[in-house]
Amino acid sequence: MQPKAHIVGLPVYQPGKPIEEVQKEYGLSEVVKLASNENPYGFSPRVKAAIEQELTQFNLYPDGGAVELTAAVAEHLSVNPDQIIFGCGSDEVIALIARAFLSKGDENIMADATFSVYKSNADIEQATSIEVPLQDGKHDLEAMLASVTERTKIVWICNPNNPTGTIVGKDELRSFLDRVPSSVMVVLDEAYFEYVTDSEYPDGTKLLADYDNVVVLRTFSKVYGLAALRIGYGVGNAAVIRSINQVREPFNTNRIAQAAARAALADQEFVQSCSAKNAEGIQFLQGEFDRMGLSYFPANGNFIMVDTKQAAGEVFQRMLRKGVIARAGFKRYPTYLRVTVGSPRENEIFIRTFEEALNEQGATV
Ligand SMILES: Cc1ncc(COP(=O)(O)O)c(C=O)c1O
């Protein structure tokens, strides 16, 4: 058997190390995982009750169109239900967009250090990815615009950008959208939308009325705390969403995830409280990095990218042995570590372990 030729060289996605694996490998009783930008405060208490109600219904297929959840999100965002598509995580919405809009020979544009799933799906569709260098960790929209050709189908803007945490502002985004050809889809990935406190940050869903070529991605995996249930969505022009729907599997989101997402959306108090605690966590971590004399990119999501000034992969390994999982391995930023903002206790454990690991530089292991 032989897979398709263009599949052979593709890498397999490497997720953050699971807690159980690290515990077993290093014989640790406690492991703090700050590697995948998960919510340290769990999820709304309303979610558990909503899931319990679904427990007797496993013999029935879910609602393939997620009608109730669609209505709830449409109301929340003040858009029409036909402007929304759900996926098994926003990961799947990215894959569906690529499946529906990218063919061999097409080009798509993204930053050179951004969420890897855009490029991996473009590779699967045999499209060419143009990776535009970030400037000071930020999307360079002018350079991205200059990279547009008649072959360009999609521009991906991760806002805030994972892994750097930087944002593009309202004015620069509008100026970009005013000049990009209307035949080019602009995907605004707002997975960390609810965490952003900067007043210059644009709400992509408010741009939809003016730009038919914009698709906004959001997720229940981050501030809503439902990463395990795999549910996210795209919002855009109804005709575009219909095209994406045409390549969707019939039952791509499950009954439990839909019910949980409805309950989670209804609890905006939980969202606000997590977002406020996250902002305090950012202040704490940035203050500690300042004390250590380390630079970092301005954080707008629930993670911070800090320059360790040494090989970050080594720092990562030293921390792993002490039971703290962060993230390194960013090709463009070999000395940077990305850490998720945890609970106050987790943040303190992180700082203590991080400082120890930094000081072990050059020590034999
Ligand atoms: C920028 C960005 N987009 C999308 C996702 C995918 O999230 P999910 O598939 O869990 O909705 C992530 C997850 O880390 C992310 O960081």
Side-chain angles (χ1 to χ4, degrees):
M1 285 184 295
Q2 194 61 35
K4 294 176 188 169
H6 74 277
I7 300 294
V8 174
L10 296 183
V12 174
Y13 181 78
Q14 296 300 325
K17 276 204 173 228
I19 291 174
E20 297 77 9
E21 195 182 311
V22 176
Q23 270 177 324
K24 229 194 258 167
E25 202 172 327
Y26 298 102
L28 298 162
S29 54
E30 188 187 2
V31 166
V32 172
K33 181 178 177 226
L34 298 171
S36 302
N37 303 340
E38 293 147 329
N39 187 338
Y41 305 106
F43 46 85
S44 161
R46 296 193 202 182
V47 166
K48 189 159 175 271
I51 288 179
E52 274 164 6
Q53 284 200 345
E54 297 295 325
L55 293 180
T56 55
Q57 311 251 48
F58 287 168
N59 53 321
L60 302 177
Y61 280 102
D63 168 10
V67 172
E68 278 189 59
L69 178 59
T70 303
V73 170
E75 194 187 328
H76 180 69
L77 298 178
S78 304
V79 299
N80 292 324
D82 62 1
Q83 291 186 263
I84 301 173
I85 180 165
F86 284 91
C88 180
S90 47
D91 275 348
E92 192 197 12
V93 184
I94 294 167
L96 295 177
I97 290 173
R99 190 191 282 180
F101 286 88
L102 294 178
S103 303
K104 188 172 182 177
D106 287 342
E107 292 176 359
N108 70 139
I109 299 172
M110 63 205 68
D112 67 341
T114 191
F115 191 49
S116 62
V117 173
Y118 315 139
K119 182 171 184 314
S120 60
N121 279 288
D123 288 346
I124 291 167
E125 304 303 335
Q126 303 185 69
T128 302
S129 294
I130 312 296
E131 297 176 87
V132 175
L134 293 174
Q135 291 288 344
D136 298 326
K138 243 188 94 172
H139 279 82
D140 184 347
L141 293 187
E142 292 304 317
M144 292 176 100
L145 189 63
S147 304
V148 171
T149 71
E150 71 281 359
R151 290 191 181 168
T152 308
K153 285 289 182 66
I154 302 177
V155 179
W156 307 89
I157 300 174
C158 189
N159 201 29
N161 187 42
N162 178 6
T164 53
T166 55
I167 54 169
V168 301
K170 283 177 191 164
D171 293 346
E172 55 182 324
L173 182 58
R174 270 201 181 268
S175 156
F176 171 81
L177 291 172
D178 285 340
R179 288 175 292 152
V180 86
S182 57
S183 57
V184 174
M185 179 189 290
V186 178
V187 178
L188 302 174
D189 185 344
E190 298 182 349
Y192 302 95
F193 171 82
E194 298 83 359
Y195 285 115
V196 185
T197 55
D198 191 326
S199 60
E200 279 309 301
Y201 178 64
D203 174 344
T205 64
K206 301 285 182 271
L207 297 168
L208 296 174
D210 294 337
Y211 304 98
D212 277 348
N213 56 334
V214 167
V215 174
V216 178
L217 302 180
R218 299 263 176 97
T219 182
F220 284 95
S221 298
K222 303 301 176 183
V223 80
Y224 289 99
L226 302 181
L229 298 183
R230 310 304 302 123
I231 188 151
Y233 58 96
V235 199
N237 169 275
V240 173
I241 296 300
R242 182 179 149 72
S243 301
I244 306 170
N245 247 322
Q246 285 172 310
V247 299
R248 178 177 65 78
E249 308 300 327
F251 302 107
N252 64 327
T253 62
N254 68 73
R255 188 173 278 282
I256 298 270
Q258 291 179 21
R262 284 205 308 275
L265 186 71
D267 192 353
Q268 288 300 314
E269 231 174 86
F270 176 79
V271 170
Q272 274 153 28
S273 119
C274 292
S275 178
K277 285 186 270 195
N278 180 70
E280 285 167 23
I282 288 178
Q283 288 303 317
F284 170 76
L285 290 171
Q286 290 185 342
E288 290 295 302
F289 296 147
D290 288 339
R291 176 179 63 75
M292 291 180 224
L294 298 177
S295 59
Y296 47 85
F297 292 118
N300 291 277
N302 66 341
F303 53 92
I304 306 184
M305 184 107 154
V306 59
D307 188 356
T308 67
K309 298 198 247 180
Q310 39 182 297
E314 299 284 316
V315 180
F316 167 85
Q317 285 298 339
R318 287 180 223 137
M319 292 182 71
L320 201 60
R321 284 194 282 272
K322 297 167 192 284
V324 174
I325 319 174
R327 196 83 181 239
F330 302 102
K331 230 189 310 159
R332 165 85 194 273
Y333 297 105
T335 61
Y336 279 73
L337 197 76
R338 191 195 70 193
V339 58
T340 303
V341 179
S343 65
R345 179 170 174 274
E346 288 173 328
N347 293 339
E348 275 175 25
I349 294 173
F350 166 78
I351 289 294
R352 194 173 63 231
T353 313
F354 181 54
E355 255 187 314
E356 283 171 16
L358 289 180
N359 292 334
E360 278 171 32
Q361 183 179 26
T364 45
V365 285

